[in-house]
Amino acid sequence: MAQRIETVGVLGAGLMGHGIAQVAAQAGYQVVLREVDEAALAQGVGKIEKQLTRAVEKGKMSQEEADGVRARIKGTVQYGELSECDLVIEAITENLPAKLEMWREVDKIVKPEAVFATNTSSLSVIDQAAATARPAKFVGLHYFNPAQVMKLVEVVRCVTTGEEAFATALEFARSEGKLAIPTKDKAGFIVNRLLVPYMLDAIRALEEGVGSVAEIDEAMKAGAGHPMGPLTLADFVGLDTLGSICDVMFDEFRERRFACPPTLRKVLSAGWFGRKSGMGFYDYSGEAPAENRGI
C-alpha cells in the first residue's frame, strides 16, 4: 500500500529539478525546492515563473491557477527545510560522489518514514540507496526533459526497494498525470538502454562518411518518423550528459555499442555540449541552427 504524500522535496533547481518541482506543484503538492546558493535558486525559480507565465498566455491555465502553483513552491538553500517532506527527489549533477555526499546529509535531516528518489538517468540506484539508512525506502524516479512536457517517468526498483516505497513512487508519478513505467536498476533503464546506442551509432555513421550531420538527421526523421534526428537529439540532451551516460553504460556492459565514439570525445574536449553551450553538432549562434562545419 502506498504512503500518503503531501510535501515533496526537490534537490536541485537546474535543468531537471525546476521542472520536477513545477510538475509536483501543479499536481497539488507542497514543494520545497533546495539549491546550493541563492543565485542558483533564483535562476531555477525564475524558469518556473517564466513557464507559468507562458502557460497563462497560451490559455493552458488561468492566472489564479498559476499563482496557486507558484505559492506551493518554497525555495531554500537549507537542507533543514526538507525535514518534514514525505518524498524527496534529487536532481543534482550526474556525479555519484556528489549525490552520495548529498544523500548522507539529507538522510540525517529528513523524517525516517520519508521516501527518497533519485532522478539519475544512468547511475546505479542501489549505490545511492546504500549510502542512506533507509535503503528499503529508496527508488528511482527518472523524469525526461522537459519534465513539464514529457509524459514518461521510469520508476526504478533496486534490490533493496520495499513494496510500499515502490507503490508510493508509482502512485505519485501517476498522480502527476505521468505514464509511470516500472523498470529494474540496470544502467540506462529502458529508454537510455535503447536510445543512447542509437545516438552513438549516428555519430559513428557521421565518422564513417555515411552522411552529413543534416543528412543523417533528415533521413531518420523522414524514414523512421522521428520528431528530431539523432544528432539534433544528442545536442538537445547535452553532449556532456550523453558522454557521461555512455561511460557509465560501457563500464557496466563492456559492449562496443555503449562506447564513446572519438568524435564525441573531441567535441567534449572543445567544450561543445550542444544547445546548452551554443555549439554541438549544430551551431546555435544564428537565427536557426546550422551544421557545425568544424566536426
Side-chain angles (χ1 to χ4, degrees):
M1 184 174 177
Q3 293 177 217
R4 181 177 176 82
I5 303 297
E6 293 182 354
T7 303
V8 179
V10 179
L11 296 159
L15 181 67
M16 294 304 301
H18 83 274
I20 293 170
Q22 182 181 332
V23 168
Q26 286 177 184
Y29 296 99
Q30 296 295 320
V31 177
V32 179
L33 179 60
R34 192 264 175 185
E35 254 296 357
V36 293
D37 56 47
E38 293 289 354
L41 180 62
Q43 186 175 26
V45 171
K47 290 179 180 177
I48 294 172
E49 292 172 346
K50 186 176 180 180
Q51 290 284 343
L52 293 174
T53 298
R54 190 174 300 163
V56 172
E57 290 172 349
K58 291 184 176 181
K60 293 183 177 180
M61 67 172 63
S62 68
Q63 186 62 57
E64 184 180 1
E65 290 171 329
D67 291 343
V69 172
R70 177 63 186 89
R72 286 191 288 275
I73 300 173
K74 177 183 180 181
T76 184
V77 295
Q78 304 296 329
Y79 281 134
E81 299 284 351
L82 300 163
S83 62
E84 293 304 310
C85 289
D86 305 298
L87 169 67
V88 177
I89 306 170
E90 75 79 20
I92 69 170
T93 183
E94 193 74 339
N95 176 280
L96 184 58
K99 290 182 190 292
L100 297 182
E101 181 181 357
M102 179 274 300
W103 280 127
R104 292 185 185 107
E105 286 295 318
V106 174
D107 194 34
K108 294 183 291 186
I109 294 167
V110 180
K111 60 185 181 181
E113 63 268 30
V115 174
F116 284 176
T118 173
N119 182 57
T120 183
S121 56
S122 60
L123 296 173
S124 171
V125 176
I126 183 56
D127 286 348
Q128 297 179 58
T132 73
R134 63 187 86 196
K137 290 186 170 293
F138 206 106
V139 300
L141 279 173
H142 181 212
Y143 291 76
F144 289 77
N145 182 37
Q148 300 95 324
V149 176
M150 297 295 282
K151 190 78 172 176
L152 177 64
V153 174
E154 291 178 316
V155 183
V156 187
R157 183 200 296 265
C158 72
V159 292
T160 59
T161 304
E163 290 297 332
E164 183 180 59
F166 192 68
T168 299
L170 278 172
E171 187 171 304
F172 172 75
R174 288 167 180 161
S175 75
E176 295 182 312
K178 299 296 187 182
L179 175 63
I181 300 291
T183 186
K184 293 182 179 179
D185 186 20
K186 301 287 186 181
F189 313 132
I190 295 173
V191 173
N192 283 334
R193 175 73 175 266
L194 303 176
L195 188 61
V196 168
Y198 163 63
M199 289 186 283
L200 298 180
D201 272 342
I203 298 171
R204 294 188 184 99
L206 178 67
E207 291 174 338
E208 295 164 10
V210 174
S212 69
V213 170
E215 287 167 348
I216 291 170
D217 276 350
E218 290 302 313
M220 289 308 298
K221 285 165 63 179
H226 292 185
M228 66 175 72
L231 299 173
T232 298
L233 179 60
D235 274 359
F236 182 78
V237 168
L239 301 180
D240 53 339
T241 301
L242 176 61
S244 296
I245 294 172
C246 73
D247 284 345
V248 169
M249 295 176 75
F250 182 76
D251 283 345
E252 177 151 338
F253 299 114
R254 295 291 168 178
E255 296 179 18
R256 179 184 180 272
R257 64 194 179 113
F258 298 118
C260 190
T263 295
L264 180 55
R265 295 203 181 278
K266 289 174 183 176
V267 298
L268 293 178
S269 294
W272 296 343
F273 301 150
R275 279 186 175 270
K276 68 176 74 175
S277 69
M279 184 72 80
F281 288 102
Y282 291 88
D283 180 347
Y284 299 92
S285 60
E287 291 185 7
E291 283 190 73
N292 181 354
R293 298 299 182 181
I295 295 180

